[in-house]
Amino acid sequence: MNVAIIGAGATGLAAAYDLLRAGHRVTIFELGEQPGGLAAGFKAPGWAWSLEKFYHHWFASDADLLRLADELGVRDRVIFRRPITVSYWEGRFYPLDSPLAVLAFPGLSPIEKLPFGLALVYLKYLTRDWRALERYTAHAWSARWMGRRAYEVIWQPLLEGKFGEYYTQVNMAWLWARIKARTPRLGTFVGGFQAFFDALAARICALGGVIHYRARVERLWREDDGRWSLRLAASTGDLPRFDAVLSTVSPRAMARLAPQLPADYLAALNALRSLGAVMVIFALDRQLDAQGYYWHNLPKRAGFPYLAMCEHTNFVPAAHFGGQHLVYCGDYLPPDHPYFSMSEEELRAHFLPSLGRFNPRFEPAWVQAAWVFREPYAQPVPFVNHSRHIPATRTPLPGLFFASMSQVYPWDRGTNYAIRLGREVAAQIAGSAQDGTR
């Protein structure tokens, strides 16, 4: 088959890799200037490594990512470390990323820690039945089985920060998946995530694949002969027809690309909810958190203007970035939030004073550079019984497939599950060629 893939993020690239190895032809159309999607990076002058535009790390349990790295021959470039994750409580930061840290946490009494700990053991080691859990909200289940106090101190601030107005509606399977799969050992790639995606894109091209960058697909339609045509913005020539198309854009963008999809499928696409991401990255001339903490969970009720501060160079040494210390300040927000319409200068100025809460000696003169990145589709919102409402990756139109972050559920969005989804859909596409049902 001749297959078109829209999007060169992890899902599209993984699908392309498998389809090419199965003997199909693949052309990728990517809106940006490089592969990687939300995990793509940039490199400032003087840096040896690239930095992800939105904070990213892998987990030691990311089997699909590690399997692909093995196949590409780059597994030795995946690095795992054990940075410290902390949460804010009553003016101080406390580690909560190990059983011993939880036992030492002063925010819960020993009696309150008992149901909390038992519930964590149950979720991480004793159950895989996430479908039973998705019938309940994380808000209600956690308060009941972990204890009201543990919920209010630990989980409620995280849910509020992550999902905003939706925090009481997110289902428990989502929280189960985070507890089940995540590890305290976190991974990165030598040279940055961009180096990994560049290696994958290079292998795709070596296999005969073609990647078009700065290529905006505006419309898809099925021709009378059953093949698919694409229209690009500012196209300079005719494109070939394709036997199959895989779109990895957001659900609402998919609905705009293919309005000829059946009404019920379009309704399912448009009913999915998600939040966007806003990120301000500050380059400092010295370390911000002198205790060396990497990830800082921040409750909105405490007055922080974002949900997480991540000092990247407390995970990846500053030597890779010309000695600069890199600090992410990130948030997930509705696309109509004021942060999306502020100028970059306004947003940097809005976030900057909060850095003094991590180090009272902080001065604005420490800042050597700053960057702002925004993305309207970054965090799907999984409601109760979410699995019943996810559109199938194989759409009702023959030859048209759709794979997005919303479909990695119950797992949270991330490189590992995007790769898994891409490879699963590639198998569907290849199978459709064999059974003649494209």
Side-chain angles (χ1 to χ4, degrees), residues 2 4-6 27-29 210 212 215-221 223 227-242 245:
N2 189 19
I5 296 177
I6 303 172
T27 304
I28 302 176
F29 299 91
V210 176
H212 296 290
R216 180 190 293 274
V217 179
E218 291 188 331
R219 201 62 172 269
L220 299 168
W221 68 93
E223 301 285 2
R227 291 185 293 172
W228 286 86
S229 291
L230 283 66
R231 184 174 71 225
L232 301 182
S235 177
T236 59
D238 294 333
L239 294 173
R241 294 181 180 180
F242 297 93
V245 175

Side-chain angles (χ1 to χ4, degrees), residues 125-185:
Y125 302 108
L126 302 180
T127 184
R128 295 184 178 182
D129 189 5
W130 62 266
R131 292 186 184 275
L133 292 169
E134 76 166 355
R135 296 178 296 181
Y136 308 96
T137 64
H139 169 77
W141 195 99
S142 298
R144 178 179 179 183
W145 295 106
M146 297 187 182
R148 173 64 61 178
R149 173 72 176 169
Y151 170 72
E152 291 176 349
V153 171
I154 295 174
W155 297 120
Q156 185 174 347
L158 294 176
L159 289 167
E160 286 178 339
K162 187 84 166 178
F163 294 105
E165 64 180 296
Y166 299 117
Y167 88 93
T168 62
Q169 303 173 59
V170 173
N171 78 55
M172 188 60 199
W174 177 86
L175 185 55
W176 165 86
R178 290 173 66 90
I179 294 169
K180 187 76 173 179
R182 296 196 168 194
T183 64
R185 292 181 64 233

Side-chain angles (χ1 to χ4, degrees), residues 92-143:
R92 293 184 59 189
F93 289 100
Y94 296 91
L96 284 173
D97 54 359
S98 72
L100 289 178
V102 171
L103 287 174
F105 177 57
L108 300 176
S109 71
I111 292 177
E112 290 166 337
K113 289 173 183 175
L114 181 59
F116 175 67
L118 290 175
L120 288 180
V121 169
Y122 171 75
L123 293 170
K124 189 167 185 68
Y125 302 108
L126 302 180
T127 184
R128 295 184 178 182
D129 189 5
W130 62 266
R131 292 186 184 275
L133 292 169
E134 76 166 355
R135 296 178 296 181
Y136 308 96
T137 64
H139 169 77
W141 195 99
S142 298

Side-chain angles (χ1 to χ4, degrees), residues 251-403:
R252 296 201 174 187
M254 180 63 177
R256 293 192 297 270
L257 281 177
Q260 69 274 39
L261 281 162
D264 57 345
Y265 194 91
L266 288 173
L269 290 174
N270 288 317
L272 293 173
R273 293 290 175 264
S274 62
L275 299 173
V278 172
M279 191 68 63
V280 179
I281 303 172
F282 294 101
L284 310 181
D285 65 2
R286 69 201 74 183
Q287 187 180 41
L288 181 64
D289 187 328
Q291 297 184 82
Y293 295 151
Y294 164 58
W295 189 280
H296 303 69
N297 290 311
L298 309 173
K300 292 289 185 69
R301 67 183 76 173
F304 290 95
Y306 39 84
L307 74 88
M309 187 280 275
C310 172
E311 189 159 358
H312 185 71
T313 41
N314 286 343
F315 171 41
V316 179
H320 298 309
F321 304 98
Q324 292 184 321
H325 296 262
L326 302 173
V327 174
Y328 287 101
C329 300
D331 211 344
Y332 293 106
L333 299 161
D336 60 355
H337 190 278
Y339 285 179
F340 283 93
S341 56
M342 283 183 177
S343 69
E344 293 190 4
E345 182 179 356
E346 290 172 330
L347 196 57
R348 289 194 297 265
H350 184 61
F351 281 14
L352 184 65
S354 66
L355 298 186
R357 299 184 69 175
F358 304 96
N359 187 332
R361 295 180 297 171
F362 171 76
E363 296 178 4
W366 293 10
V367 179
Q368 297 183 316
W371 301 269
V372 174
F373 299 101
R374 289 176 269 215
E375 170 59 47
Y377 175 61
Q379 176 60 60
V381 181
F383 298 114
V384 170
N385 294 320
H386 187 64
S387 63
R388 302 178 188 177
H389 307 291
I390 300 174
T393 52
R394 188 169 184 167
T395 79
L397 298 180
L400 181 59
F401 297 80
F402 173 62

